[in-house]
Amino acid sequence: MKIVFIGASSLAIATAQQLLRADHEVIIIENDKTVIDRLMPEIDCVFLHGNGSKPAILKETDPESIAVLFCLTKSDEANIIASLVARSLGVKRVITRIEDPEFEHICVGLGLTDTIVPTLTNARYLANIAAGHNILELSAIFRGNIKLFNFIASASEAGPVNELDLPKHTRVIFAYRNDQFLPLDSDSKIEPADELVLVSTADDYEKLQGKWGNGKAQN
């Protein structure tokens, strides 16, 4: 599987190293040549020097063959632009890093629904630790081929949860409405713009992706 990173951040390098250990093909695009020169002896992957938001640079990676492209530069704006360019070139899945949560809804509006907000995620995690809560990693809870999938409900999905057309092994577990957590059961009502969180299997995930695009799938 070919994975491409735009921006050689510490997050990108740590993720790339794990992917390389799993025998995936990794390409890192970095605009700073001194960063590439420093990293090349440390990580055995392909480096491309250039601006990852430029179509000419992305075309060197054969975009249609990329399984996942991570946009992990320090600039939210650069990550959003690079994500849009990558989508236009046929990249199957694009993950966009943003630091400012206000950009999240903009990303959704642009069709960039696979977003990560590391600072906000880490802040919530640390706040829970400080409050004495026992935090379990998802990897410790989910076994086998279980995945989470998020998508934003449209008007066509509005109505009772039990009327939502889902694959056999998929269930809605909760939602976010106006950024507020909302537990759901089979009789709960879905409203347009609700962000629904589903638990599913790897096989059903492909069906979900076919129905709702990339959504925000998570292992």
Side-chain angles (χ1 to χ4, degrees):
M1 185 165 64
K2 181 191 288 186
I3 313 293
V4 176
F5 294 85
I6 297 177
S9 65
S10 58
L11 176 61
I13 297 304
T15 306
Q17 288 173 329
Q18 293 196 36
L19 291 168
L20 287 166
R21 284 194 288 269
D23 294 325
H24 295 298
E25 179 184 358
V26 173
I27 299 173
I28 298 176
I29 302 172
E30 171 57 46
N31 205 31
D32 188 337
K33 185 63 164 57
T34 60
V35 172
I36 294 176
D37 292 340
R38 175 173 55 82
L39 291 172
M40 285 186 69
E42 302 177 11
I43 182 168
D44 186 19
C45 70
V46 174
F47 284 92
L48 289 178
H49 177 222
N51 185 340
S53 63
K54 297 288 187 181
I57 295 294
L58 283 174
K59 285 178 180 178
E60 293 185 34
T61 65
D62 186 14
E64 293 185 357
S65 69
I66 297 172
V68 184
L69 183 141
F70 290 93
C71 298
L72 302 179
T73 76
K74 296 178 181 179
S75 167
D76 290 354
E77 293 86 349
N79 290 336
I80 292 170
I81 292 171
S83 298
L84 292 172
V85 172
R87 289 281 295 274
S88 74
L89 294 176
V91 176
K92 298 181 183 69
R93 187 177 180 195
V94 179
I95 311 295
T96 310
R97 172 181 175 165
I98 52 176
E99 289 296 331
D100 187 344
E102 291 187 9
F103 279 115
E104 188 168 15
H105 292 296
I106 294 173
C107 288
V108 171
L110 293 171
L112 303 175
T113 51
D114 266 341
T115 58
I116 56 174
V117 190
T119 300
L120 186 58
T121 300
N122 290 336
R124 288 170 176 165
Y125 184 79
L126 293 175
N128 278 312
I129 290 176
H133 299 160
N134 183 21
I135 306 300
L136 292 176
E137 295 288 347
L138 287 180
S139 59
I141 301 173
F142 293 155
R143 297 175 177 85
N145 65 348
I146 300 301
K147 291 180 175 286
L148 291 181
F149 187 91
N150 302 24
F151 74 95
I152 306 299
S154 65
S156 62
E157 281 94 34
V161 170
N162 58 16
E163 293 183 6
L164 193 63
D165 183 20
L166 296 175
K168 182 178 179 180
H169 300 293
T170 299
R171 300 289 184 273
V172 179
I173 51 177
F174 63 88
Y176 290 109
R177 181 175 296 163
N178 298 322
D179 291 328
Q180 299 297 313
F181 172 78
L182 182 68
L184 297 176
D185 56 37
S186 60
D187 296 325
S188 298
K189 294 291 195 301
I190 298 169
E191 296 183 3
D194 282 355
E195 181 178 353
L196 303 181
V197 181
L198 287 61
V199 63
S200 184
T201 63
D203 290 339
D204 275 4
Y205 162 67
E206 295 184 4
K207 299 174 184 176
L208 295 172
Q209 190 177 43
K211 187 175 180 66
W212 286 295
N214 282 334
K216 293 185 180 178
Q218 305 171 33
N219 289 330

